[in-house]
């Protein structure tokens, strides 16, 4: 057999090489040199001894294909394309294979056949050269396909780390099938398989060796590959590349500081989709373009929205305490007051002396004279005077003798003389009658309820004089009055607590309200707060589904109501109450925009931004097809099939994105931090190598490793 010495390589060829023309021999040698990555002219061919066993005879090419014919030019174009593709892919393949170590290459020997991997490689390169010479058009096409699919199969198997997945098997098998079929067609006995087909076999075999025979090594290699890729691409820890590709740029757009601050403000129920417009857009896109994403995201948003009322109630209870019905509280105070009065006043009246009310009657006379005749006010005043007066029987005396006179039957005669009422208990009841009219608009003094709503001045004046007379002349009456009045004011404070949050013209400003509230006793302030809490509960029960209306009720115009709430319940409690409403209002807004189809324009924009673009289809045979074009199209289709088998689906990550965007609590914070860390790594990579893309850096790293390994192996062989 003839032997070629090219650099440090010895290539054995079969005798059919000597039958080629000088031009074809030169072309074959040059092709082999290019396969070995050399540009220098090779050494002359040494004359071999007769071969002991005849090698398979390769069919000579037709005359039209060996010169500068049309077919040769077409073949040259295809080979130029093949060479452009071959260099980087061979670099990755050889770098990977040489870096596997002795054990991996032993596995490769088992796949390829007996003998060392280097010997087989040189032998197969010689056979490839013969095939290229015999088939100048088909050989470059088959070789390009093999060169592309081989690293895809190798890297695909290694990057997954465990086993040979179906898609990696498909990628490696594509080169094997295409190359093997062409090689078998070029051989008379079906055994002269060219180097390009064997390249594809090497890719598939490496996948089996790494994934099946050496799972431990596969895991290590896969982990190393993923670490390099993740660091270069800024992939978030624990997330797929597809998810990182969408979420890391969204974090950059919304900024980490703003996102983290917003989530801290919204609390543990918040989701990443609430944190900024970019994340909201990603949520809308994932929901619109993926069934899985829609199920996850919309399901969780709907569940959270359904818990709005309960969530707000829990926040309010935590901030303000449990609510009590204002009317129930007021009734309890009134009942307690009645019990206290029933003890205090009888005790004061028990040993009280008669009360002189002459001063009251002196004030009452002119008031009656000054009231219009027949008016309800005059009638009330006259009835009051009658209550304040009483009659006492006085013996009728004979004016001459001074003796008690008698009638014809001997019965003593008495005259009824009017005099002021002096019984303190009766005077206390008369005061209560006046209170019914002037304080409660109840029937009293012989007139109907609310009859003197605008004519109570005289009655109030008389009532005040009577109360002062009792307090001055009846021991213990003043103390009983103070306790009863305090309880009455507490009951009134409960009522006022249900009315102070308003937006009307008569509503007190925050400054005036704070002044008035500060004048209340501590007991009255507590009663006021109970009324306020009860009114807030009422608002929550009637307006919780309309969060905008609830916020308006609690904030008021210019925030007046918020300031009043702070005066009654404290600054922190009021802030927590308003923040709860605002948080849930934001949650409702997110739910509406993602689930209820609001903001249609933004959603459609997000959909288009994340919608996968279908690959264009070029028909293999068309009216304008040429032989070169058909060859290029065939390569493109084969590569598309191989890449389609290993590339991830563009929408596959949307379910993961939806899950990340809708996670809550500590798990959400961990994922946010992972995205922030990935963004920082990506920015660091950009600062170090602004002109180099992450893919270029990754390929360069792998290529450098392969080149170093190849140099080391060559030096070992030379030694």
């Amino acid at each position: 057999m003839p032997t070629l010495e090219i650099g440090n390589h010895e290539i054995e060829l079969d005798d059919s090489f000597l039958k080629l023309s000088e031009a074809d021999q030169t072309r074959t040698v040059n092709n082999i040199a290019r396969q070995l990555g050399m540009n220098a002219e090779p050494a002359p061919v040494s004359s071999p001894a007769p071969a002991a066993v005849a090698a398979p005879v390769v069919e000579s090419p037709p005359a039209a294909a060996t010169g500068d014919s049309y077919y040769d030019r077409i073949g040259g174009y295809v080979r130029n394309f093949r060479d452009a593709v071959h260099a980087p892919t061979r670099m990755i393949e050889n770098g990977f294979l040489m870096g596997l170590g002795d054990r991996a290459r032993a596995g490769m020997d088992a796949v390829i056949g007996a003998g060392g991997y280097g010997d087989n490689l040189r032998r197969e390169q010689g056979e490839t050269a013969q095939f290229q010479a015999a088939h100048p058009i088909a050989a470059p096409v088959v070789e390009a396909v093999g060169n592309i699919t081989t690293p895809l199969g190798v890297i695909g198997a290694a990057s997954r780390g465990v086993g040979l997945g179906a898609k990696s098997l498909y990628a490696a098998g594509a080169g094997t099938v295409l190359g093997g079929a062409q090689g078998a067609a070029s051989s008379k006995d079906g055994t002269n398989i060219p180097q390009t087909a064997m390249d594809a076999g090497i890719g598939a075999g490496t996948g089996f060796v790494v994934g099946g025979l050496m799972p431990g090594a596969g895991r290590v290699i896969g982990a190393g590959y993923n670490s390099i890729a993740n660091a270069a691409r800024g992939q978030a820890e624990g997330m797929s590349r597809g998810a990182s590709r969408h979420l890391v740029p969204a974090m950059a757009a919304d900024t980490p500081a703003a996102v983290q601050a917003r989530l801290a403000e919204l609390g543990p129920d918040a989701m990443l989709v609430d944190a900024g417009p970019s994340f909201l857009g990603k949520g809308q896109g994932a929901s619109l373009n993926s069934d899985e994403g829609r199920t996850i995201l919309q399901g969780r948003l709907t569940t959270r929205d359904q818990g709005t009322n309960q969530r707000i109630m829990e926040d309010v209870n935590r901030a303000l305490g449990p609510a009590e019905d204002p009317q129930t509280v007021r009734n309890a105070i009134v009942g307690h007051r009645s019990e206290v009065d029933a003890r205090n006043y009888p005790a004061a009246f028990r040993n009280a002396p008669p009360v002189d009310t002459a001063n009251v009657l002196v004030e009452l006379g002119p008031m009656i004279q000054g009231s219009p005749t027949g008016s309800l006010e005059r009638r009330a005043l006259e009835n009051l005077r009658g209550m304040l007066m009483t009659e006492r029987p006085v013996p009728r005396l004979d004016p001459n003798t001074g003796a008690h006179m008698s009638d014809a039957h001997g019965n003593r005669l008495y005259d009824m003389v009017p005099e002021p009422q002096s019984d303190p208990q009766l005077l206390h009841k008369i005061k209560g009658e006046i209170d019914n009219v002037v304080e409660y608009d109840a029937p009293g003094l012989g007139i109907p309820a609310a009859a003197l709503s605008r004519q109570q001045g005289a009655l109030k004046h008389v009532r005040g004089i009577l109360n002062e007379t009792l307090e001055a002349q009846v021991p213990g009456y003043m103390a009983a009055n103070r306790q009863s009045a305090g309880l009455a004011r507490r009951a009134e404070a409960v009522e006022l607590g249900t009315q102070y949050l308003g937006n009307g013209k008569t509503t007190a400003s925050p400054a005036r309200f704070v002044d008035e509230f500060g004048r209340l006793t501590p007991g009255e302030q507590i009663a006021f707060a109970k009324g306020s809490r009860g009114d807030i509960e009422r608002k929550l029960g009637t307006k919780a589904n309309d969060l905008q209306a609830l916020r308006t009720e609690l904030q008021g115009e210019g925030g007046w109501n918020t300031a009043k709430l702070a005066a009654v319940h404290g600054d922190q409690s009021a802030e927590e109450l308003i923040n709860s409403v605002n948080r849930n209002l934001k949650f409702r807004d997110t739910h509406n925009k993602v689930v209820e189809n609001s903001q249609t324009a933004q959603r459609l924009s997000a959909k288009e931004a994340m919608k996968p673009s279908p690959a264009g289809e070029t028909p293999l045979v068309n009216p304008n097809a040429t032989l070169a074009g058909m060859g290029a199209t065939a390569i493109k289709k084969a590569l598309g099939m191989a890449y389609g088998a290993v590339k991830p689906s563009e929408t596959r990550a949307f379910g993961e994105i939806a899950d990340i965007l809708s996670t809550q609590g500590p798990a959400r914070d961990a994922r946010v931090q992972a995205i922030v860390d990935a963004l920082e790594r990506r920015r660091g990579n950009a600062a170090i190598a602004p002109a180099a893309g992450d893919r270029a850096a990754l390929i360069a790293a792998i290529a450098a490793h392969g080149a170093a390994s190849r140099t080391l192996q060559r030096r070992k062989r030379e030694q």
Side-chain angles (χ1 to χ4, degrees), residues 58-76:
V58 178
E59 183 179 349
S60 299
T66 59
D68 293 332
S69 67
Y70 171 78
Y71 295 102
D72 255 353
R73 289 197 299 274
I74 294 300

Side-chain angles (χ1 to χ4, degrees), residues 64 92 173 226 232 287 305 373 436 455 482 494 512 515 606 650:
I92 296 174
N226 286 330
S287 177
D305 187 68
T373 302
N436 288 338
Q455 301 171 353
R482 296 292 183 269
V494 175
R512 179 159 68 90
D515 179 65
E650 291 189 44

Side-chain angles (χ1 to χ4, degrees), residues 456-468:
Q456 298 173 355
L459 290 174
K460 287 183 177 181
H461 180 67
V462 174
R463 192 257 185 207
I465 297 174
L466 178 59
N467 185 65
E468 291 175 357

Side-chain angles (χ1 to χ4, degrees), residues 185-460:
S186 67
S187 171
K188 288 184 177 181
D189 58 2
T191 59
N192 187 18
I193 303 176
Q195 171 64 29
T196 51
M198 290 305 298
D199 282 344
I202 291 171
T206 302
F208 279 112
V209 170
V210 174
L213 300 179
M214 295 194 304
R219 281 190 290 270
V220 172
I221 295 170
Y225 170 80
N226 286 330
S227 298
I228 297 173
N230 294 349
R233 297 173 179 172
Q235 181 177 343
E237 182 72 22
M239 301 179 195
S240 68
R241 293 190 187 91
S244 299
R245 184 166 59 89
H246 289 288
L247 297 179
V248 174
M251 180 66 75
D254 289 336
T255 73
V259 168
Q260 292 173 323
R262 185 59 167 156
L263 291 176
E265 175 187 351
L266 294 176
D269 292 313
M271 303 173 179
L272 190 53
V273 71
D274 303 311
S278 295
F279 283 117
L280 175 62
K282 296 301 180 184
Q284 291 170 325
S287 177
L288 287 169
N289 291 306
S290 167
D291 291 338
E292 181 184 5
R294 181 161 45 253
T295 299
I296 294 174
L297 187 58
Q298 294 193 10
R300 292 180 182 176
L301 288 175
T302 300
T303 299
R304 185 179 67 175
D305 187 68
Q306 291 171 347
T308 298
N309 290 6
Q310 181 65 29
R311 193 163 49 248
I312 293 179
M313 292 292 187
E314 291 175 355
D315 291 341
V316 174
N317 286 336
R318 184 167 50 252
L320 306 181
E324 299 178 67
D325 178 67
Q327 188 60 46
T328 301
V329 175
R330 189 176 185 280
N331 292 342
I333 295 175
V334 171
H336 178 62
R337 178 193 179 195
S338 298
E339 293 176 0
V340 171
D341 289 349
R343 292 193 304 267
N344 291 344
Y345 286 113
F349 299 146
R350 191 171 295 119
N351 299 316
V355 178
D356 182 6
T357 58
N359 60 333
V360 179
L361 293 172
V362 169
E363 293 285 342
L364 187 57
M367 291 181 182
I368 294 174
Q369 295 299 322
S371 298
T373 302
S375 66
L376 291 176
E377 182 182 34
R378 182 166 186 151
R379 187 201 304 179
L381 291 173
E382 289 175 345
N383 291 338
L384 177 59
R385 183 177 60 180
M387 292 179 181
L388 291 174
M389 295 297 295
T390 187
E391 292 180 338
R392 180 172 59 85
V394 177
R396 184 181 300 177
L397 302 177
D398 187 332
N400 297 321
T401 63
H404 193 179
M405 297 178 62
S406 300
D407 60 10
H409 300 286
N411 298 321
R412 291 180 181 276
L413 298 176
Y414 292 88
D415 293 323
M416 300 302 295
V417 179
E419 64 179 10
Q421 180 64 259
S422 61
D423 185 347
Q425 189 167 357
L426 290 175
L427 292 174
H428 175 71
K429 291 181 179 180
I430 293 172
K431 188 185 75 170
E433 190 82 3
I434 299 174
D435 287 340
N436 288 338
V437 176
V438 300
E439 297 293 340
Y440 309 116
D441 289 333
L445 302 177
I447 60 175
L452 297 178
S453 58
R454 290 185 298 234
Q455 301 171 353
Q456 298 173 355
L459 290 174
K460 287 183 177 181

Side-chain angles (χ1 to χ4, degrees), residues 35-93:
Q35 291 287 336
L36 297 177
M38 302 177 59
N39 293 323
E41 288 295 324
V45 180
S46 60
S47 299
V53 180
V57 178
V58 178
E59 183 179 349
S60 299
T66 59
D68 293 332
S69 67
Y70 171 78
Y71 295 102
D72 255 353
R73 289 197 299 274
I74 294 300
Y77 297 149
V78 176
R79 281 193 298 275
N80 290 337
F81 173 78
R82 182 275 320 277
D83 292 340
V85 175
H86 175 78
T89 56
R90 178 64 69 187
M91 183 185 304
I92 296 174
E93 175 195 351

Side-chain angles (χ1 to χ4, degrees), residues 122-143:
R122 286 189 291 271
R123 176 175 55 77
E124 291 152 3
Q125 287 171 338
E127 295 174 356
T128 300
Q130 297 178 53
F131 178 77
Q132 289 172 334
H135 303 277
I137 296 178
V141 175
V142 176
E143 183 175 359

